């Protein structure tokens, strides 16, 4: 049979032989490069990222970031709670406020960056705690670990002899340990027991409760709603979307499902300190009102106070602010009443409640009328006697100064306007010459040129209410209680293990070895278990006294 050859193989072999012949000795050859490891790949990087995200260190960092992100929400006014204070902040800090607004610092808890931290914390806790919960459940169902070979090396150990048989000792050990709620497992010549998993259970309950708390807060933001409304004394509010001054529904909330409750504000009372360094500071707020769960239900009274919200229609109504609403009557050039109502004024300063507001009379003829007014609840002259200031927040001597305008207010164009501002001044709305006047309650100012008149009828007060429907409130409360209970259990309960071994010794006696291991500092429980295993001293279990015994004494003792 003819022999075949491969020219390519022969050429490769000759090349290798030539390279081997030209190489130096082995000790002088450079080390060959180790093969480079392959990259992790997309799956490997995903696993690595998941492990990093679900570590307790990452969860603590995210929890710290949530707490840090909530700080601006506590310091700066928030649009959801006090939109008027946000507007006031913009007026006082015209440069800084727009930058804060770009960072969503006036609406922190709805900001995208806060939601991102919140979601990452939720995922991190879930990925960390849930696998631990399954592992803990398996550990609780597993058998206690077998007794170590040398029990005397344990932090707590004891050894003694008894006349009982090894089987009797182990049976008694099982009874004693089970009586103390140990999980017991019997081995070859030994008893293993364990308890104290409640501490680890408490730790897991705390983390699971924290996870449930985050879930409940998220559920409240998704399925709940929050709104603010200003109600003046003598007026009512119905829970309808059109009645809110500001309304923020959750992403999954249907505004058509608003519960049909209503309320009426009868009287608002604010009490202030009248003397001392705290003079002028509010001491109490009370809003006396009546409410109905539905149009067909019975009307009920309620005294709304700070930290005492009204629960109605699944929502809680909080008292968050108050101010003054002077009552005005505006007559046009023909003598007809063009406007007659109370007008909520916004505080310009919180110390003595100097307030400002506008009165709009679009029905006045032949020209529409508007007024800008400043209210001093307790009007007093300033220190230089050149102007009027408010000396106390209560309405002890109310006075208003009126600035008059006439023309086109701009309401007929359909463009929405703020009820607290006049639009088009100097363009469509012109100031009335000599149209300024200082008024006390009951006084009337007749505009020059018989353009109309305005009467300061008196004072009412308004209150700002926050209506908050949060379906996650009760789950959050339960989760918070469970978190506290879990923390208490994790600190108070420690895991303990006790082993008992019994073997036959010299002289027909049984040698009993007891060992204990406690997570943390040893507890007196081990000594109590050893005492219970020993039982009362019996004559055959006590050591004989040293030296010769006296037979006579023994006889007398026996008798």
């Amino acid at each position: 049979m003819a022999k075949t050859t491969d020219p390519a193989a022969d050429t490769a072999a000759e090349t290798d032989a030539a390279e081997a012949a030209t190489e130096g000795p082995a000790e002088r050859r450079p080390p060959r490069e180790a093969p480079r490891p392959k990259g992790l790949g997309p799956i490997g990087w995903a696993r690595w990222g998941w492990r990093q995200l679900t570590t307790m260190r990452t969860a603590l960092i995210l929890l710290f970031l949530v707490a840090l992100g909530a700080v601006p929400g506590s310091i700066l006014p928030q649009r959801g709670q006090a939109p008027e204070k946000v507007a006031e902040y913009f007026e006082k800090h015209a440069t800084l406020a727009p930058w804060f607004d770009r960072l969503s610092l006036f609406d922190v808890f709805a900001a995208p960056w806060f939601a991102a931290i919140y979601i990452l914390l939720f995922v991190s806790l879930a990925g960390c705690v849930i696998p631990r919960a399954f592992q803990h459940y398996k550990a609780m169902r597993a058998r206690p670990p077998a007794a170590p070979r040398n029990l005397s090396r344990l932090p707590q150990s004891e050894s003694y002899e008894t006349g009982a048989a090894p089987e009797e000792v182990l049976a008694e050990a099982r009874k004693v340990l089970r009586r103390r709620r140990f999980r017991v497992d019997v081995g070859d010549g030994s008893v293993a027991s364990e308890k104290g998993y409640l501490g680890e259970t408490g730790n897991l309950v705390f983390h699971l409760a924290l996870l449930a708390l985050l879930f409940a807060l998220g559920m409240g933001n998704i399925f709940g709603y929050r709104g603010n409304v200003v109600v003046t004394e003598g007026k009512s509010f119905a829970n309808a979307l059109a009645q809110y001054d500001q309304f923020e529904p959750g992403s999954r909330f249907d505004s058509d499902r608003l519960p049909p409750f209503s309320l009426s504000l009868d009287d608002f009372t604010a009490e202030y300190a009248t003397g001392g360094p705290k003079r002028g500071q509010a001491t109490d707020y009370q809003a006396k009102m009546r409410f109905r769960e539905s149009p067909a239900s019975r009307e009920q009274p309620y005294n709304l106070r700070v930290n005492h919200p009204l629960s109605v229609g699944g929502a809680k109504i909080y008292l968050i602010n108050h101010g003054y609403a002077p009552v005005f009557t505006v007559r046009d050039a023909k003598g007809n009443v063009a406007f007659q109502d109370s007008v909520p004024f916004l505080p310009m300063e919180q110390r003595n409640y100097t307030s400002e507001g506008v009165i709009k009379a679009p029905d006045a003829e032949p020209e529409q009328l508007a007024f800008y007014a400043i209210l001093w609840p307790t009007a007093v002259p300033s220190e230089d006697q050149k102007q009027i200031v408010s000396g106390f927040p209560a309405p002890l001597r109310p006075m208003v100064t009126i600035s008059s305008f006439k023309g086109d207010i701009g309401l007929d164009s359909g463009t929405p306007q703020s009820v607290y501002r006049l639009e088009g001044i100097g363009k469509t709305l012109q100031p009335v010459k000599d149209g300024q006047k200082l008024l006390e309650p009951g006084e009337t100012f007749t505009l020059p040129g018989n353009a109309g008149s305005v009467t300061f009828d008196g004072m009412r007060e308004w209150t700002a209410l926050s209506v908050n429907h949060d379906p996650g409130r009760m789950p959050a409360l339960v989760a918070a209680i469970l978190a506290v209970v879990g923390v208490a259990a994790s600190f108070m309960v420690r895991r303990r293990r006790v082993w008992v071994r019994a073997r036959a010794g010299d002289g027909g006696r049984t040698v009993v070895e007891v060992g204990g291991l406690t997570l943390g500092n040893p507890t007196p429980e081990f000594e109590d278990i050893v005492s219970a295993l020993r039982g009362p001293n019996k004559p055959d279990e006590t050591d004989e006294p040293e030296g010769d015994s006296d037979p006579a004494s023994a006889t007398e003792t026996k008798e």
Side-chain angles (χ1 to χ4, degrees):
M1 186 175 181
K3 183 178 180 181
T4 61
T5 60
D6 186 357
D10 293 342
T11 303
E14 292 174 0
T15 302
D16 293 341
E19 291 179 355
T22 57
E23 286 184 353
E27 62 273 7
R28 297 178 60 184
R29 297 175 190 169
R32 296 183 179 271
E33 293 185 3
R36 295 182 179 180
K38 297 181 179 180
L40 292 177
I43 297 178
W45 280 110
R47 290 177 178 173
W48 179 85
W50 176 255
R51 293 192 189 100
Q52 297 301 314
L53 180 61
T54 55
T55 59
M56 188 58 66
R57 177 183 60 186
T58 303
L60 291 174
I61 292 174
L62 291 172
L63 189 62
F64 172 75
L65 290 178
V66 168
L68 187 64
V71 172
S74 304
I75 298 176
L76 298 174
Q78 300 295 292
R79 285 194 174 91
Q81 286 78 30
E84 71 281 357
K85 292 185 179 180
V86 174
E88 181 181 349
Y89 193 92
F90 267 84
E91 293 178 1
K92 293 182 178 179
H93 306 84
T95 303
L96 192 60
W99 287 98
F100 284 171
D101 198 25
R102 291 188 183 98
L103 297 174
S104 302
L105 297 186
F106 296 115
D107 202 3
V108 169
F109 303 107
W113 56 266
F114 190 84
I117 299 174
Y118 182 90
I119 293 173
L120 285 175
L121 176 60
F122 185 87
V123 174
S124 178
L125 282 176
C128 178
V129 176
I130 294 177
R132 278 184 56 197
F134 284 107
Q135 294 174 3
H136 179 62
Y137 177 76
K138 292 179 180 179
M140 291 179 62
R141 299 294 301 270
R143 298 171 60 184
R149 182 176 300 176
N150 193 345
L151 295 179
S152 61
R153 294 184 179 179
L154 295 176
Q156 291 177 295
S157 62
E158 190 75 31
S159 178
Y160 64 93
E161 293 184 1
T162 180
E167 293 78 10
E168 296 178 1
V169 173
L170 296 179
E172 182 64 21
R174 290 196 299 270
K175 293 179 181 179
V176 170
L177 293 171
R178 284 174 177 166
R179 196 179 305 128
R180 292 179 173 270
R181 300 183 183 277
F182 278 83
R183 293 189 302 114
V184 179
D185 183 47
V186 179
D188 186 14
S190 65
V191 172
S193 63
E194 184 178 30
K195 78 171 182 178
Y197 273 94
L198 186 60
E200 178 67 16
T201 302
N203 185 276
L204 285 172
V205 166
F206 167 74
H207 288 91
L208 289 172
L210 186 60
L211 194 63
L213 182 62
L214 293 175
F215 181 78
L217 294 176
M219 184 175 65
N221 289 330
I222 293 174
F223 297 102
Y225 68 87
R226 183 175 56 191
N228 294 338
V229 61
V230 173
V231 183
T232 306
E233 289 176 330
K235 295 190 175 182
S236 301
F237 163 74
N239 191 34
L241 190 60
Q243 298 252 335
Y244 280 97
D245 298 321
Q246 185 178 16
F247 187 79
E248 295 181 4
S251 58
R252 295 291 181 180
F253 179 77
D254 184 5
S255 57
D256 294 334
R257 300 177 60 186
L258 285 170
F261 67 84
S262 60
L263 57 87
S264 301
L265 179 62
D266 294 331
D267 181 55
F268 181 87
T269 305
E271 297 180 2
Y272 305 93
T274 57
K278 295 184 178 181
R279 182 180 184 274
Q281 292 188 10
T283 58
D284 188 28
Y285 296 121
Q286 294 188 22
K288 295 181 180 180
M289 56 180 55
R290 293 167 286 114
F291 71 94
R292 295 178 186 269
E293 291 275 356
S294 65
S297 63
R298 182 176 59 88
E299 194 172 51
Q300 305 177 54
Y302 190 81
N303 189 12
L304 184 65
R305 294 177 295 164
V306 177
N307 297 327
H308 292 78
L310 169 64
S311 297
V312 56
K316 282 187 175 293
I317 301 177
Y318 298 88
L319 180 65
I320 60 173
N321 204 350
H322 81 102
Y324 294 104
V327 182
F328 296 95
T329 299
V330 178
R331 296 180 181 272
D332 59 16
K334 299 180 179 180
N336 298 323
V337 175
F339 176 87
Q340 188 176 35
D341 202 354
S342 59
V343 180
F345 277 31
L346 293 181
M348 302 171 63
E349 47 89 14
Q350 298 293 328
R351 180 180 178 87
N352 292 315
Y353 273 84
T354 301
S355 306
E356 62 178 350
V358 298
I359 305 104
K360 300 179 182 181
D363 296 332
E365 294 180 354
E367 290 185 292
Q368 296 179 348
L369 299 176
F371 304 88
Y372 171 76
I374 296 178
L375 167 71
W376 296 282
T378 301
V380 295
S382 61
E383 294 181 358
D384 57 5
Q385 305 293 318
K386 293 183 179 180
Q387 59 182 356
I388 297 175
V389 296
S390 179
F392 197 73
L396 303 181
R397 190 192 176 194
M399 296 183 69
V400 295
T401 180
I402 293 289
S403 298
S404 308
F405 300 86
K406 62 181 180 178
D408 184 8
I409 298 176
L411 295 177
D412 296 336
S413 64
T415 304
Q417 291 187 9
S418 171
V419 296
Y420 304 107
R421 295 183 60 183
L422 290 177
E423 305 289 345
I425 295 179
K427 298 178 181 179
T428 60
L429 198 62
Q430 303 298 328
V432 177
K433 186 178 180 180
D434 298 328
Q436 293 81 30
K437 182 69 174 179
L438 186 66
L439 300 176
E440 293 187 8
E443 290 187 344
T444 299
F445 173 46
T446 301
L447 301 182
N450 198 26
S453 66
V454 57
T455 302
F456 179 24
D457 296 320
M459 292 281 291
R460 293 180 185 175
E461 295 192 54
W462 59 261
T463 178
L465 304 178
S466 175
V467 184
N468 189 355
H469 170 64
D470 186 0
R473 182 185 295 111
M474 285 306 298
L477 176 61
V478 174
I481 294 174
L482 289 177
V484 173
V485 173
V487 168
S490 65
F491 281 108
M492 296 176 61
V493 181
R494 288 175 288 177
R495 191 183 303 179
R496 287 95 75 195
R497 291 174 178 173
V498 176
W499 295 275
V500 180
R501 180 181 288 122
R503 57 181 175 82
D506 299 334
R509 298 176 66 80
T510 298
V511 178
V512 182
E513 294 178 290
V514 187
L517 182 63
T518 302
L519 184 64
N521 297 325
T523 61
E525 186 180 28
F526 180 78
E527 286 77 11
D528 297 339
I529 293 173
V530 174
S531 299
L533 292 175
R534 282 178 178 271
N537 290 332
K538 298 180 182 178
D540 57 347
E541 293 179 1
T542 56
D543 296 333
E544 294 183 358
E546 296 182 359
D548 298 333
S549 58
D550 186 357
S553 300
T555 304
E556 292 174 359
T557 303
K558 185 177 181 180
E559 293 176 354

